[in-house]
Amino acid sequence: MASTATATATSGGCTSPGCTNPVSKPLACPKCMQYGIRNVFCGQKCFKENYAQHKQVHALMQQIAGGAHRKTPPRDGVVCPIDSPQELKLSLPAWANNYSFSGDLRPALLSPKRPITNSKVLKPDYATHVGGNSESEQRDRASNNNIRVYGPDELEGECNLRYATKMGREVLDAGGKALRVGVTTDEIDRVIHEASMERDCYPSPLNYYNFPKSVCTSVNEVICHGIPDYREVEDGDVVNIDVTTYSRGGYHGDLNETFCVGNVDADGRRLVETAFACLQSALAMVKPGTLYRDLGSTIHRVAAAKKCSVVRTYCGHGIGSLFHTAPNVPHYSKNKAKGVMKEGHVFTVEPMINLGSYDDITWDDNWTAVTRDGKRSAQFEHTVLVTKYGCEILTARENEPVMKWDPALLQR
């Protein structure tokens, strides 16, 4: 079982950006120490003056270690071969036998982890780590308080960031086409995995802090990080497919969509349309000068108008050469996110919207986040680039530079 985040101490001076004072008696940030990271300041005065900015590091560490990305692998007794009897495949994993579920959804067993079969695929640092740890992300959280600005050399060219996001869109479209009543989410995982291999891409979720699959599939009351298994999708389900691809150029592209499968009731359709509208409204605000914290107010207003709530535990994030980095992009109102959007910033916006309360809990598989009241949840996500006058949706559908609601595209 993997431990909480660790990183080597930064060497050579004070953590505060631009500070050149000697560190004769280092003052370690106590909050960072709780996460196993030693960030030091030259003194109490420097620590206090820069703490407001430094707290962004804590927010990112909290997302990784405390909620958004679980660090322990699924427990034993959850995997069986693909050719196993159907009765065995549909049995509960060992952890679930005495678990108290908040809703009607039940997990099934998992297929074995799928191998990387394309030798051209570039693997991120966590792909072969026994705990799935991304040491590059840990170093970034320990030493970087700035939001990266991407230029033409990183955005353009073979396998660069724009290419990675385009591949993510193609892979999600392939997974969405395979979704229907009776298909298993494990089959969706197979389609996503093979589509990634065909495009020389690594499926970013695979082994990320021990996540066992190549895509997240979140059904009904699952908010996010659902693990594909042998359960068959049923008539009336709402199913989110969350894809991230990692290109040979070393960049991630992240997006997701929620689909209506078969005869979804009126509340379910209202939920899915509201989640779409929340992201659509937030992206309309993205431009240089916008405060990251202001997106949450707009998202909250749109959700509340449709009698829905906004999940607070999980948030959008910076992305590019790292899967998760600054900035933190909360989706709820009155959040305290730091930072102002600038041309060249690349990040995700991915509001999770619930029919009931915003409260969430996590199953004992250590990943699957569900609504505490068992009511359904839906989500849409895009990776966006801040441009001179607005934003570019890097993961947009072809010929759809601005999000447009079309329920037929999400009906399966």
Side-chain angles (χ1 to χ4, degrees), residues 3-8 10 15 32 35-39 53-66 69 71 125 132-146 208-209 322-326 328:
S3 63
T4 55
T6 58
T8 57
T10 56
T15 296
C32 288
Y35 290 100
I37 295 174
R38 189 171 184 267
N39 281 326
Q53 182 179 12
H54 177 68
K55 283 196 300 184
Q56 296 180 62
V57 176
H58 302 160
L60 285 169
M61 289 189 290
Q62 174 65 27
Q63 184 179 2
I64 297 295
H69 307 289
K71 291 202 152 193
D125 62 351
N133 294 4
S134 174
E135 294 179 353
S136 58
E137 287 188 7
Q138 292 177 4
R139 288 193 298 270
D140 177 73
R141 291 196 302 275
S143 61
N144 179 36
N145 290 321
N146 299 317
Y208 184 69
Y209 293 101
L322 298 176
F323 196 173
H324 298 88
T325 184
N328 234 20

Side-chain angles (χ1 to χ4, degrees), residues 114-179:
R114 293 186 160 86
I116 302 302
T117 55
N118 182 344
S119 61
K120 296 180 181 179
V121 168
L122 176 68
K123 296 179 181 179
D125 62 351
Y126 56 83
T128 56
H129 191 283
V130 65
N133 294 4
S134 174
E135 294 179 353
S136 58
E137 287 188 7
Q138 292 177 4
R139 288 193 298 270
D140 177 73
R141 291 196 302 275
S143 61
N144 179 36
N145 290 321
N146 299 317
I147 301 171
R148 183 170 175 178
V149 174
Y150 285 89
D153 291 344
E154 298 158 310
L155 291 166
E156 310 296 344
E158 184 180 4
C159 300
N160 280 6
L161 182 52
R162 197 182 299 278
Y163 175 85
T165 55
K166 183 176 185 292
M167 293 303 98
R169 164 50 64 182
E170 291 183 5
V171 171
L172 175 60
D173 288 346
K177 288 178 181 177
L179 181 62

Side-chain angles (χ1 to χ4, degrees), residues 178-227:
L179 181 62
R180 62 186 184 280
V181 173
V183 75
T184 64
T185 50
D186 181 72
E187 173 64 9
I188 301 300
D189 181 73
R190 182 193 67 79
V191 170
I192 294 295
H193 188 88
E194 293 183 1
S196 298
M197 294 300 100
E198 291 167 2
R199 290 161 176 80
D200 298 344
C201 290
Y202 184 90
S204 302
L206 186 62
N207 205 50
Y208 184 69
Y209 293 101
N210 288 136
F211 190 82
K213 291 298 179 181
S214 298
V215 65
C216 298
T217 53
S218 300
V219 181
N220 294 339
E221 67 263 31
V222 179
I223 295 170
C224 59
H225 304 154
I227 302 175

Side-chain angles (χ1 to χ4, degrees), residues 64-65 71 75 95 111 119 128 133 182 194 196 200 220 227 244 263 292 302 311 314 326 348 356 392 395 404:
I64 297 295
K71 291 202 152 193
R75 298 178 182 178
W95 63 263
S111 66
S119 61
T128 56
N133 294 4
E194 293 183 1
S196 298
D200 298 344
N220 294 339
I227 302 175
T244 311
N263 299 296
Y292 280 101
V302 173
V311 173
Y314 305 95
T348 72
E392 177 185 351
T395 47
K404 295 181 181 179

